[in-house]
Each structure stands twice: as structure tokens, then as C-alpha cells.
């Protein structure tokens, strides 16, 4: 390629000049090409270690002038062909012009300008994204592609110099991290190491240091463990590897492939050697951390962050920390953990102004909100730029207010007797849900339906007033008063200062009247609800009355959701729960509905109205408990792995015992999925939910550890899993909340008491306090890190389970061993995944449905099948192989969706590898009948029957062409007799015996015998012969096989001719009987048909000639002569003409122009072209002259083909020889990793 002219001081160092003229030199790198010797080894090692561009471009062109010692590199090339092209261009276009110049400086200036112009012209059509990548990085990407044979779509993210430990010897080289692969290349003194690992195959990533390996990264796959060390920045490398492996896991989990974010802001100054993809991934990591810290919606993108201080009025201090600005929020996090967190939605902001700077308060900025709160930030480094960014985002913030949702929090008192809550003055000491303004709007989703629960169900099913006036009621009022004081000091709503004081109040339990409001705030669900007004209403209207698998499961579980609570013993609660769950199932079809969602949602509905409960469920499923509620509960399994890891760290004595008993895997799913709601009394579990919405999964893990710690002595003495479960169940049943003002709800979890001893009650607040005292040093960041590690393990474990399930499911019917099936599954899955990241992402992703059984989840299309077939088939047919692959694909694709699953794939492969001669021939025979024949071939078969009369129906033609005669007969019966079977089904649907008979028939039809196979027409037989000739072309005993097949083909042609005399046309006969028509349609239509065929033959003759010339395969002359002799021998009586079939592999159609007919009498040896196959057929001299259609009366059966084949030993031996598919799979993997530049190197070595 052309290079921007670069100065080269030592033109001769490590380079050899091959061509020269007065202005240019063409040079080759020493050691490149044949016979590099010791120099080549040394130069190659230097190039790898120093990352020289000469490794990927061993040729270059330099510009020079006679008197100057300075050279300029103007072009480089990876092959002699490429560099020669540039050299010839320079000679043809520049040499003559340059000879005119007198001044050498002018020559150099002209050459540099010309080269820059060429490069600019070439870059015109390039995508803008590629221009963002620095030149050095583009060069590295080019090296990666050439070294590892990667296509253009495989993008390099970054590359690092490091050592790979092979045994105890470090190999210095370069590690390339691409979107889908980890690659390493090293070349040291002739020893070459090349590694390519797909991220989807990585089972573990660890950063550790041992005596043997200094600080290193360990990459584990199912087959190997690889160690890389000596990184300049090991933390950056490891973090990037984690991100890429995580993207691959998401692809395996939910088909979410990597799509680059094109909307990233360009850097303010160019970044050296950092690709756009690397910036994208860094931005993603920051966004995820930002959203998790402040519980923001999933589409929120961080714009930037800066150090600053925040004035906190509650303690009169300037707290140092960081300000984060994104499209819709300004957030602050203090440097000291939990000192203060703040979230300011831009929709709330009214004024942003710069205050006067002073030595005490430099660069201050004040932000005012609608709720009359003002926030002072100071010590901002780039205040003007920050204000400009905030004002830009404010301008984009929608100004319309959705139904007064953004109004200040309303202070109200609930009246237990009424459903709607009246609004009272703001001086009232109590407060309820923040959406009381919404609550006053009566919303009816469906006319005639039960009214929507417009507030928490607990308010509608309030206990007696006496309970509120007792000591528990007084305690509840004290809690409410504490929160009101907190709201006064720290603010209320989204803009509240969140401090350690807030957490203390949450730990003491949120008052029932405030629960819904604070759950919405702490979870971030409030933000999503406010920004999507009317979304839930629309979703309910759309989903009402629609049914699918999710709605069926929801209906089944509705009455199992807290049946002990009065709110769900009537239709109001049940209907609200149904609407929320159904709306979410339609919002997120990938999750739909999962058991445990009903329990959690029913609790949300007790404290929130329907819309609030819906958005809380969204926050839970999509942000706070990611992947928990999908079909494989991956998220819960991931956190279960974290729990096991934490148990080993914090409770080492108990860990081993629990592992032996297998208890953790049993308990953790029920604890985590329902947030303890299904295993603890309701009044206690709801306090756990309070802390969970504030702290996240960290709190659930620390409470779980506290429960195990409290029962450690008893658990260590357990003998089995049942005893351990009893101890834990009894403990959880007796966790009580003595402060609850709600009447105790009977807990359906069995009270597991032992003996007469009364159970020991545990106060929930004491349990929470203990969990903070002993395990509060758990950090959210550490948990996220552990989640990544466990996600790798869990998803790969699920993939292994899927592989075993699929292999077990198909092994009974297939001839392959379990090992062979597992290897085939790996190859099949890899081909599917390759289509996801190298093909059309969307189309490939759409094929995978997670709700389907494992066997159906990975499916490939025809192009992918062809690639697998070509590399794995024992029947190599040269250029004809893709045609055969297409036919086998159509044969296997029974449901006609143009995709095949793994079972269909191995069924096709097994037909070629296993079974005796009969079974293999049966497969080959079917490949030359519909549906394996493509539509064009079928159409030409229809054209071949063009002499039928007009009253011959398409149903009859269908019968002629269909490959399953039993099915066709049924179809005909259904069409022609107005469906008597349908009537039978319609009149007696309850007659199960009918269905049993039909099912039995279907089962029987699968056991196909050779007699069930339909006869083969002459056209199809010609295709079969053509396939066999191609199949034998590369065999060691090629000549014997050609002789054998020529003998068999000629014999079968004679058999077909003889058989014609003893059989009538069944379709004609059935038509005549059906229509009671004694006319002979053939004689009636004979004249026009023959005339038409003559005309068409004359018109298409030039095309036939052209196709004959363009043919690919050639048969040996000896075989043709044998075939001719046999053909002549069959011409007794009528004289049997010979047909010349053009063997055009690229076209592979059966159109009339592909055939020409000659009579036996006129045929001489020299008339037989090299590219023709000879078959016998009946004809006349007129037809021979002008061309004709295939003889449609001719047919041959499978038994006749089989019997003829058995007479030839060479054919029997060919089909019965064993082929090792495992070797084929190994070869296929090697071929996939062939270097894409090999052809260039071959060319250069030949020409050089």
C-alpha cells in the first residue's frame, strides 16, 4: 500500500535491493522468502520483538535522488505481486515526468505531493470510523489479520507486548485482543508460536502471582491453561480481557452480540495508539459503573466527571468528591464512602449559575431545583466548559410535564375506608406514596374489568384502628417522625442527600406509609416512571386478552402468590397482580415470566399502586438482579457462586461441610430469587426488602452469611442435607419483627419444631445489625468483579450441560460415538457463533430462541451447512460438492424453514459415514429426488412433461414428482375427495382413537424400506451418474471406479428401456379412470408438442453450445469409449441414441439446453466431447437433429440400482470403506486457521 512519505536514514540495513532506477529502489527484507538462513532467523526475531512493520510488509519502495543521502519510504507490500503493481505504476506514470526536473528538491517535493494525493484519493471511500484509529494501530490490525487469517469484520481492540509461558520457557511476542478472539504470536530464532482462542471458549480468567510465574494472567479453556506475563500495564490488559470475555458470555447467554457505539464523542485531543473500539469499551465500563452507583436507567450514558467539593448544609461542610454529568442527570459521590451521594435529575433543574470566585471558594457553581433546593459545588477545574455541557443537556431535556408527576412530594393521610386518598395541607406530619397526584386519577384499563389498584393494597385492607393506637402504633409514628426530620434536614425526593444517616434509618425499618415512596427512590424506579408517562397504561391495554406461554404460567401462579394475605384473597389483588405480571411479560419477552416473580410482585403491590409496582419490577429484573428471572436463572446461579466463595473466605470451618452436604446450592436459590419472602415470615422479610432496595445484592449476601454464622455449630454437626435444611428452615421461620403494626400473617413455610422446646425467636433488626457488624466490609465493586468470574463459570457449565443433553438426545438414533457427537456439536456451534460475529448479526441472532429446547437453540443456514459439508463429507465431489451439500440440506430441512438443527445435521452426516452399502446408497439415491432437487430442477422436470393435455391437473404432476408416495396419495385423497378425513375429525373431535391411529401411521412411515422409495426418472438418473463421476475423480482407484460406473450406468439404461415396455403411465391411467375419458390425449396433442419442442431446441442451441464450452469436469477418454461401446450394445431393435450431458458445475440446472441428442448410427468416437457423460435413451433421427426432452416414460427403481452396484467390487469397496470423522474435524480446525496471506507468499516465492 502507499505510505505517507517517511524519512529513512539507513536504506541498506536489513534490506536487499532487488530493482533500481534513478529515482526509486524496490527492496526485500533480509531472510524473507526462500533460504533465509541464520540472517533470516535473526531478522525475523528482531521484527517480532520490536513489532516492526516489516513483519507484515516485507517489501518496500524508497524514493531517492542521486546526490542526497536521505531516502523516503513511499510504498510497502505484503507480497511481491502487490509491490510490483506499485513499482510498475511509478515507472509508467512518474519516471518520464521526473526526468524533466533540474532541481533535486523539486523532484522530492513533487513525488511526496503525488503520493499524498494518491493516499487521499484512496481514503475518500473509507468509513469515517477507520480514520479515527491512529496509523500505528491500523498497522497492528493489518498484522493481526495477516498473521491469524482473520476477515475484515474482525476488529482489533488493543495489542500488548508480553511473554507466553510454554512450559518453563517464556516466549516474548505480541498479544492481540480482538472483539471475538485472543491471539498471540511469537517468533524467536526459528521457533514460532501462534495461538488463537475464541472468547466464548474461555472458562476462567485470573490475575495472580506465583514463584514460577511472576505477576501473570492465566487464561483457562476446557482443554488448556495459558499463562501470559511481563506486561507493561497488567491491570489495563486484564480489565480489557474481562470486558471482552463478558461480551462473549452475553452472546452465549442471550444472543446479544457486540455492536460498536458510533455516537461516542470524539476525544478533544488525538489519543496515541488507542482505537475507537478501546475507547468504546472504556466508555461502556464507566457507564455501567455510573449507572450501578446511582441506580440510573439502562440507557443513561456518562458524558464526563470532574473533581469538586459539595457544600452540605446538614453538617455545614465542603465534602470533596466527584461530580458526574450525563444526558439527564448530575450526580455527586463523596470521596469518603457513604459520606454523601446526590442525584439531581435535569428535569428538576431550574437555574445553573456561576457564583463569584474567592480564595476560600474557588470556581463555585450553584444549581437550583423546582423543589426549592440549591446545591453549591466548588473547586471545579473547568467550570466554563462544564456549565456549557449542562446547558446543552438542559436544552435537550423535554419541557412538557406529564400529568403533574413532577410536582413536589404531597403530604397526605390515608383514610382506610376509601380507595382514593384525599389531599391535605402540607403541614400534616404523615406522608404516603409520592405519586398521590397520580393516585387521584382514576385509571380504568379495560371497561368492565375490576378497577385498578390506584394505591398500595395494604391501605385498602387496613387493620383495626386499635392496633395503631397501641405501643406498636406509637413506635411506627416515631419512625415516621424520624423520617420527617430527615426529610427536613436532607431534603425529600430524588434530590435528597443520601448519607450514612439515611442507611441507619433504613436499617431500623421503613414506616409502612413511606415504604412505597422510598423503594421507588432508592431503586431508581421513580426516574423511569416519571420519564415514561402512560407507558404502563398502554402496555396493559395492548397485553389484555392476548395469550402465550407466559400468560398461562402467570394464571397458574396467581393464586399461589401470598394466599395467606387478605389482599390476595379477592379479585382486586389478583387482577392487579395479573396486569402487572402480564404487562412485564410483554415488555420483556426474553424473560417473559419466571416463578418467584409473582411472590416479589405481590409484596410490591401491597405498598405501591400498579404502575409503581410495575416499574419496581423493571428495576429488579433488569438492573438490581440481572439475569435472575430468565429461563435458566443464570443471575441467581452467579450470586450463588459468589455466596460459596464468600463462605470460604468468611466461614472457612463451615464452608467445607456445606460443600459436602450440597446445601448452599439448595438454599441460595430460594433465598435470593424471592429476597427471603418465601422463607421468612412476611413482616420480617419486608424489612430485608427495605435494606435490599437501599444497598443492593450486597445486603442479601451479608444477611445470608449472618444466618449461616448464627447456625454454624449445629450445621457442622449435621449428617445430611435434610438435617441442615431443617435447622435453617426452623431458624428462618422464627425470625420475627416485633415492631410490625400489621397483624401477623400465617407463614405457610412449615414450622419445623423439634421436641417440646418452644422455638427460639430471633429479632430481624438484631439479625440485620449482626450482619453489618460482621460482614459490612463487603464492597459493591468487589461483588461485581466476583460476578464476572462466576458468570464465566456458570455459563460455560450451562453450555456443557446443554452439549451433554443434546448429545444424549441424538445418540440413540445416530451411528456416531458419544465422543464423535461431542466434537461435531462443538464444530456445529462454532459455525453458528461465527455467523453471529462475522456474518449478519441480526439474522443469525434471530434464529436462536432461548425458550426452545437445547437441541433447537443453535441452527445453521444453507451457506454454513455447505462449509461444514465440504470440510467433513467423505464424498468429495470437487466443484460439484456445494451442489450435493445444497441437496442434502433440502433433504434434511423437513419443516422448510431454511434452517437445520444439530440432530438434522448429524443425521445427514451419519447417513454418509455409517451403515452398509445399502444405507449409503439410499442416502445418495434420495439426494437425486425431490425435495433434495432444487426448485429449478423440479421446474425443468415439469417442462419435460409438457405433452400432457390441458386437463391434466397439477395434483397429478405433484404425484409424479413427489418423493414420498404415501404422503402424496393422502394429499391427493384430501384434495380430490373434499377431505373425508377432515369431516371425521370435525364431527368427532373427542375420538382420540383417530389421533392415535394417525400417530401410529406417522411412526411407521419413518421406518422406511427400500421398496418405499419412489422410482427415479431418466433426468434424475443422469444427475446421479454425474455425481458419481465427480465423486470418483480424486480416488486412488479412479480408473477402476470409472469403468465400474460406466458398466453399471449402461446396464441400468438398458433395464429402464426394457421396463418401459412392461409398464403403463399410472398417472395417465388414473386420470382416464377418474374423468371417464376414452380419448387418447397423447395422439390428440402430439403434433403441436413436437413442433414446440423443435422450435425451442433450435432457439436454445447456441446456449447449449456455449454451456458445453464452459464445462468444467472432463472424463478420461478410455472411460468414454467404454461407455460408448456399452451404449451401442444396448441398441438392439429400435436403436438406442446416446445423450451428451454438459457437466456445468456452476449452473447445475436441468434446463433443456443442457442436453443434445444424437443417434447411435451417426455417433463416432471423435464426436464425444471431453466434458460429456454418455447415457442411453430412446429417440428418433428428427429429435436427434433438433434436440428433444428427456424420455419421461423411462424409470428405474432403487432395488435395480442396488443390484447393479453389487456386481462391481470396486463400487462396493468404495462405499464400504471406513472414514474417521474425528480426523476430518481436526483437519477442518486446521484449515480454518490457515493464514489468509498464504497464497500471496506462495506467489511471491514462485515469482521470486
Amino acid at each position: 500500500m502507499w505510505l505517507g512519505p517517511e524519512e529513512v536514514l539507513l536504506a541498506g540495513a536489513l534490506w536487499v535491493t532487488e530493482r533500481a532506477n534513478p529515482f526509486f529502489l524496490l527492496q526485500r527484507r533480509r531472510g524473507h522468502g526462500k533460504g533465509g538462513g541464520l540472517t533470516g532467523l535473526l531478522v525475523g526475531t528482531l521484527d517480532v520483538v520490536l513489532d516492526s512493520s516489516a513483519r507484515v510488509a516485507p517489501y518496500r519502495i524508497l524514493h531517492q535522488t542521486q546526490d542526497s543521502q536521505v531516502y523516503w519510504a513511499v510504498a510497502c507490500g505484503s507480497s511481491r505481486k502487490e509491490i510490483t503493481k506499485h513499482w510498475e505504476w511509478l515507472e509508467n506514470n512518474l519516471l518520464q515526468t521526473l526526468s524533466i526536473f533540474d532541481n533535486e528538491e523539486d523532484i522530492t517535493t513533487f513525488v511526496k505531493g503525488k503520493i499524498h494525493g494518491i493516499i487521499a484519493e484512496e481514503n475518500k471511500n473509507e468509513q469515517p470510523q477507520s480514520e479515527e484509529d491512529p496509523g500505528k494501530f491500523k498497522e497492528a490490525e493489518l498484522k493481526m489479520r495477516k498473521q491469524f487469517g482473520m476477515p475484515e469484520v474482525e476488529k482489533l481492540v488493543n495489542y500488548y507486548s508480553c511473554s507466553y509461558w510454554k512450559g518453563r520457557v517464556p516466549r516474548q511476542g505480541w498479544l492481540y485482543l480482538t472483539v471475538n478472539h485472543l491471539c498471540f504470536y511469537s517468533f524467536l530464532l526459528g521457533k514460532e508460536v501462534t495461538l488463537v482462542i475464541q472468547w466464548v471458549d474461555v472458562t476462567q480468567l485470573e490475575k495472580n502471582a506465583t514463584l514460577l510465574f511472576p505477576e501473570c494472567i492465566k487464561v483457562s479453556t476446557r482443554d488448556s491453561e495459558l499463562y501470559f506475563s511481563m506486561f507493561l500495564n497488567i491491570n489495563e490488559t486484564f480489565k480489557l480481557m474481562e470486558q471482552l470475555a463478558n461480551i462473549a458470555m452475553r452472546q452465549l447467554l442471550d444472543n446479544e452480540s457486540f455492536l460498536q457505539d458510533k455516537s461516542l464523542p470524539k476525544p478533544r485531543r488525538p489519543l496515541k495508539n488507542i482505537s475507537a473500539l478501546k475507547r468504546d469499551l472504556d466508555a461502556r465500563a464507566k457507564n455501567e459503573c455510573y449507572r450501578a452507583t446511582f441506580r440510573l436507567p439502562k440507557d443513561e450514558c456518562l458524558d464526563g466527571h470532574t473533581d469538586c467539593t459539595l457544600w452540605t448544609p446538614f453538617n455545614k461542610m465542603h465534602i470533596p468528591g466527584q461530580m458526574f454529568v450525563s444526558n439527564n442527570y448530575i450526580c455527586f459521590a463523596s470521596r469518603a464512602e457513604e459520606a454523601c451521594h446526590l442525584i439531581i435529575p435535569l428535569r428538576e433543574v431550574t437555574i445553573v449559575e456561576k457564583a463569584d470566585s474567592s480564595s476560600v471558594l474557588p470556581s463555585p457553581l450553584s444549581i437550583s431545583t423546582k423543589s426549592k433546593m440549591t446545591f453549591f459545588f466548588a473547586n471545579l477545574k473547568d467550570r466554563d466548559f462544564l456549565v456549557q455541557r449542562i446547558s446543552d443537556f438542559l436544552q435537550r431535556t423535554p419541557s412538557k410535564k406529564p400529568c403533574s408527576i413532577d410536582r413536589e412530594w404531597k403530604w397526605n393521610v390515608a383514610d382506610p375506608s376509601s380507595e382514593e386518598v384525599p389531599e391535605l395541607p402540607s403541614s400534616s406530619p404523615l406522608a404516603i406514596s409520592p405519586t398521590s397526584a397520580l393516585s387521584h386519577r382514576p385509571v380504568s384499563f379495560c371497561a368492565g374489568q375490576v378497577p385498578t389498584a390506584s394505591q398500595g393494597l395494604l391501605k385498602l385492607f387496613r387493620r383495626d384502628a386499635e392496633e395503631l393506637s397501641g405501643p406498636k402504633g406509637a413506635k411506627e409514628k416515631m419512625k415516621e417522625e424520624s423520617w420527617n426530620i430527615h426529610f427536613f434536614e436532607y431534603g425529600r425526593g430524588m434530590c435528597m442527600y443520601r448519607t450514612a444517616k439515611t442507611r441507619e434509618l433504613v436499617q431500623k425499618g421503613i414506616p409502612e406509609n413511606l415504604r412505597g415512596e422510598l423503594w421507588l427512590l432508592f431503586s431508581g424506579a421513580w426516574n423511569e416512571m416519571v420519564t415514561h408517562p402512560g407507558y404502563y397504561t398502554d402496555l396493559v391495554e395492548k397485553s389484555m386478552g392476548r395469550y402465550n406461554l407466559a400468560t398461562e404460567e402467570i394464571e397458574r401462579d396467581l393464586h399461589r402468590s401470598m394466599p395467606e394475605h387478605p389482599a390476595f384473597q379477592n379479585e382486586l389483588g389478583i387482577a392487579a397482580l395479573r396486569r402487572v405480571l402480564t404487562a412485564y411479560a410483554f415488555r420483556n419477552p426474553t424473560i417473559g415470566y419466571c416463578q418467584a416473580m409473582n411472590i416479589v410482585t405481590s409484596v410490591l403491590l401491597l405498598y405501591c399502586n400498579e404502575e409503581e409496582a410495575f416499574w419496581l419490577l423493571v428495576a429488579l429484573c433488569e438492573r438490581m438482579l440481572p439475569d435472575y428471572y430468565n429461563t435458566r436463572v443464570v443471575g441467581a446461579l452467579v450470586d450463588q457462586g459468589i455466596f460459596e466463595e464468600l463462605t470460604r473466605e468468611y466461614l472457612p470451618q463451615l464452608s467445607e461441610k456445606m460443600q459436602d452436604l450440597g446445601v448452599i446450592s439448595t438454599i441460595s436459590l430460594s433465598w435470593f430469587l424471592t429476597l427471603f419472602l418465601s422463607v421468612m415470615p412476611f413482616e420480617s422479610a419486608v424489612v430485608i426488602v427495605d435494606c435490599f432496595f437501599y444497598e443492593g445484592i450486597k445486603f442479601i449476601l451479608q444477611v445470608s452469611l449472618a444466618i449461616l454464622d448464627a447456625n454454624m455449630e449445629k450445621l457442622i454437626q449435621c449428617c445430611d442435607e435434610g438435617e441442615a435444611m431443617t435447622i435453617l428452615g426452623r431458624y428462618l421461620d422464627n425470625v420475627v419483627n416485633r415492631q410490625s403494626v400489621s397483624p401477623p400473617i400465617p407463614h405457610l413455610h412449615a414450622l419445623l419444631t423439634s421436641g417440646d422446646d418452644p422455638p427460639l425467636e430471633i429479632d430481624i433488626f438484631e439479625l440485620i445489625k449482626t450482619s453489618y457488624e460482621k460482614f459490612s466490609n463487603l464492597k459493591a465493586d468487589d461483588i461485581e468483579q466476583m460476578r464476572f468470574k462466576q458468570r464465566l463459570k456458570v455459563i460455560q457449565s450451562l453450555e456443557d450441560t446443554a452439549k451433554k443433553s443434546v448429545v444424549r438426545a441424538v445418540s440413540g438414533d445416530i451411528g456416531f460415538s458419544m465422543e464423535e457427537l461431542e466434537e461435531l456439536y462443538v464444530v456445529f456451534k462454532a459455525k453458528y457463533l461465527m455467523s453471529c460475529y462475522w456474518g449478519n448479526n441480526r439474522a443469525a441472532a434471530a434464529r436462536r430462541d432461548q425458550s426452545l429446547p437445547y437441541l433447537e437453540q443453535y441452527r445453521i443456514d444453507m451457506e454454513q451447512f455447505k462449509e461444514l459439508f465440504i470440510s467433513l463429507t467423505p464424498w468429495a465431489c470437487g466443484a460439484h460438492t456445494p451442489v450435493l451439500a445444497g441437496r442434502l440440506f433440502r433433504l434434511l430441512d423437513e419443516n422448510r424453514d431454511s434452517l437445520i438443527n444439530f440432530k438434522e445435521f448429524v443425521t445427514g452426516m451419519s447417513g454418509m459415514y455409517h451403515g452398509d452399502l445399502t444405507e449409503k446408497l439410499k442416502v445418495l439415491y434420495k439426494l437425486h429426488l425431490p425435495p433434495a432437487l432444487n426448485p429449478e430442477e423440479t421446474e425443468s422436470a415439469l417442462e419435460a412433461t409438457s405433452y400432457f393435455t390441458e386437463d391434466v391437473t397439477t395434483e397429478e404432476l405433484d404425484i409424479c414428482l413427489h418423493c414420498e408416495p404415501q404422503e402424496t396419495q393422502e394429499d391427493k385423497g384430501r384434495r380430490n375427495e373434499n377431505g373425508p378425513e377432515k369431516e371425521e375429525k370435525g364431527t368427532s373431535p373427542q375420538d382420540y382413537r383417530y389421533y392415535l391411529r394417525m400417530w401410529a401411521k406417522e411412526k411407521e412411515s419413518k421406518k422406511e424400506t427400500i421398496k418405499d422409495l419412489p422410482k427415479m426418472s431418466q433426468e434424475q438418473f443422469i444427475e446421479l451418474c454425474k455425481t458419481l463421476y465427480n465423486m470418483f475423480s480424486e480416488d486412488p482407484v479412479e480408473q477402476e471406479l470409472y469403468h465400474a460406473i460406466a458398466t453399471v450406468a449402461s446396464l441400468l439404461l438398458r433395464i429402464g428401456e426394457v421396463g418401459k415396455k412392461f409398464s403403463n403411465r399410472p398417472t395417465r391411467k388414473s386420470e382416464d379412470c377418474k374423468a371417464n375419458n376414452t380419448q387418447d390425449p397423447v395422439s390428440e396433442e402430439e403434433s403441436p408438442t413436437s413442433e414446440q419442442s423443435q422450435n425451442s431446441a433450435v432457439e436454445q442451441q447456441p446456449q447449449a453450445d456455449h454451456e458445453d464450452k464452459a464445462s468444467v469436469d472432463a472424463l478420461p477418454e478410455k472411460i468414454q469409449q467404454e461407455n460408448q461401446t456399452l451404449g451401442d450394445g444396448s441398441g438392439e431393435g429400435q436403436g438406442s441414441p446416446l445423450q451428451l450431458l454438459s457437466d456445468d458445475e456452476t449452473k447445475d440446472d436441468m434446463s433443456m439446453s443442457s442436453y443434445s441428442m444424437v443417434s447411435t448410427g451417426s455417433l463416432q468416437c471423435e464426436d464425444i466431447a471431453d466434458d460429456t457423460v454418455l447415457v442411453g435413451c430412446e429417440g428418433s433421427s428428427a429429435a436427434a437433429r433438433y434436440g428433444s426432452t428427456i424420455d419421461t416414460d423411462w424409470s428405474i427403481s432403487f432395488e435395480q440400482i442396488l443390484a447393479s452396484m453389487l456386481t462391481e467390487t470396486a463400487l462396493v469397496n468404495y462405499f464400504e470403506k471406513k472414514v474417521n470423522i474425528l480426523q476430518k474435524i481436526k483437519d477442518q480446525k486446521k484449515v480454518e486457521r490457515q493464514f489468509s496471506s498464504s497464497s500471496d507468499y506462495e506467489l511471491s516465492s514462485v515469482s521470486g
Side-chain angles (χ1 to χ4, degrees), residues 375-474:
F375 304 95
F376 288 100
F377 297 92
N379 293 288
L380 290 158
K381 288 181 182 174
D382 198 347
R383 185 177 62 167
D384 293 340
F385 177 74
L386 182 67
V387 170
Q388 183 59 48
R389 292 301 292 165
I390 293 172
S391 64
D392 288 346
F393 289 134
L394 279 170
Q395 284 173 5
R396 294 179 212 159
T397 306
S399 56
K400 59 178 182 180
K401 297 293 161 282
C403 307
S404 72
I405 286 178
D406 276 329
R407 217 179 283 170
E408 290 179 55
W409 307 102
K410 298 298 176 187
W411 300 59
N412 302 298
V413 178
D415 178 4
S417 62
S418 68
E419 182 178 329
E420 293 190 7
V421 184
E423 187 172 321
L424 291 184
S426 58
S427 57
S428 173
L430 298 180
I432 64 149
S433 168
T435 53
S436 52
L438 254 188
S439 305
H440 298 166
R441 226 174 5 127
V443 181
S444 180
F445 295 113
C446 280
Q449 292 283 331
V450 175
T452 301
S454 56
Q455 56 181 314
L457 293 172
L458 211 57
K459 295 188 180 72
L460 305 180
F461 298 90
R462 178 81 70 181
R463 62 253 149 231
D464 295 334
E466 293 174 13
E467 292 180 18
L468 288 171
S469 59
K472 287 185 179 179

Side-chain angles (χ1 to χ4, degrees), residues 407-557:
R407 217 179 283 170
E408 290 179 55
W409 307 102
K410 298 298 176 187
W411 300 59
N412 302 298
V413 178
D415 178 4
S417 62
S418 68
E419 182 178 329
E420 293 190 7
V421 184
E423 187 172 321
L424 291 184
S426 58
S427 57
S428 173
L430 298 180
I432 64 149
S433 168
T435 53
S436 52
L438 254 188
S439 305
H440 298 166
R441 226 174 5 127
V443 181
S444 180
F445 295 113
C446 280
Q449 292 283 331
V450 175
T452 301
S454 56
Q455 56 181 314
L457 293 172
L458 211 57
K459 295 188 180 72
L460 305 180
F461 298 90
R462 178 81 70 181
R463 62 253 149 231
D464 295 334
E466 293 174 13
E467 292 180 18
L468 288 171
S469 59
K472 287 185 179 179
K475 181 79 175 173
E476 184 78 358
K477 284 181 179 176
M478 282 175 63
K479 278 188 191 178
E480 288 179 2
E481 191 56 39
S482 298
W483 275 98
N484 287 332
I485 293 166
H486 184 272
F487 291 148
F488 181 77
E489 288 184 10
Y490 295 85
R492 187 169 190 173
M494 279 312 299
C495 301
M496 175 171 66
Y497 293 97
R498 302 171 196 211
T499 65
K501 174 75 173 167
T502 317
R503 192 183 72 178
E504 284 173 27
L505 283 175
V506 172
Q507 284 172 35
K508 291 174 184 175
I510 298 175
E512 286 191 354
N513 282 339
L514 294 175
R515 207 159 246 149
E517 171 186 337
L518 293 174
W519 282 1
L520 284 163
L521 285 182
F522 296 146
S523 66
W526 174 250
N527 285 321
E528 291 187 277
M529 186 172 78
V530 168
T531 51
H532 294 84
Y535 177 86
Y536 174 69
T537 313
D538 294 342
L539 207 54
V540 170
E541 286 174 357
K542 285 175 189 171
S543 61
M544 274 297 168
R546 292 173 63 185
Y547 297 97
N548 55 25
L549 185 62
T551 55
E552 284 178 26
E553 290 176 348
I554 289 167
E555 286 300 324
R556 190 179 62 224
D557 286 351

Side-chain angles (χ1 to χ4, degrees), residues 874-881 1024-1043 1045 1112-1116 1119 1143 1145 1170 1173 1211 1214-1215 1217:
W875 297 345
C877 300
H880 192 67
T881 309
L1024 176 61
C1025 290
K1026 182 177 175 181
T1027 300
L1028 289 167
Y1029 271 106
N1030 284 302
M1031 201 185 287
F1032 303 150
S1033 63
E1034 296 170 12
D1035 199 89
V1037 290
E1038 182 180 358
Q1039 295 300 321
E1040 290 176 39
L1041 288 167
Y1042 278 151
H1043 179 79
I1045 195 59
V1112 179
D1113 294 333
L1115 295 175
I1119 305 306
D1143 192 8
E1145 293 299 340
D1170 284 343
V1173 176
L1211 293 176
Y1214 179 85
F1215 282 105
K1217 71 180 175 191

Side-chain angles (χ1 to χ4, degrees), residues 338 503-504 506-507 691-692 694-696 698-699 702-703 706 765-778:
E338 292 186 358
R503 192 183 72 178
E504 284 173 27
V506 172
Q507 284 172 35
C691 296
F692 165 73
Y694 189 78
E695 294 272 18
K698 171 175 106 75
F699 177 75
Q702 72 184 37
V703 166
F765 298 105
E766 282 300 316
L767 177 63
I768 289 171
K769 186 180 174 186
T770 306
S771 78
Y772 273 102
E773 285 170 356
K774 291 190 174 182
F775 308 108
S776 62
N777 55 350
L778 281 177

Side-chain angles (χ1 to χ4, degrees), residues 266-281:
K266 289 194 175 182
R268 294 166 73 184
R269 60 181 184 277
L271 302 167
K272 189 181 178 186
N273 291 348
I274 295 181
S275 68
L277 270 177
K278 176 74 167 66
R279 287 202 304 118
D280 183 2
L281 286 167

Side-chain angles (χ1 to χ4, degrees), residues 946-949 1080-1095:
S946 60
Y947 57 82
F948 279 3
T949 54
D1080 184 0
V1082 178
S1083 60
E1084 189 181 322
E1085 296 288 344
E1086 191 174 5
S1087 174
T1089 307
S1090 58
E1091 196 177 281
Q1092 185 186 356
S1093 76
Q1094 285 179 13
N1095 291 339

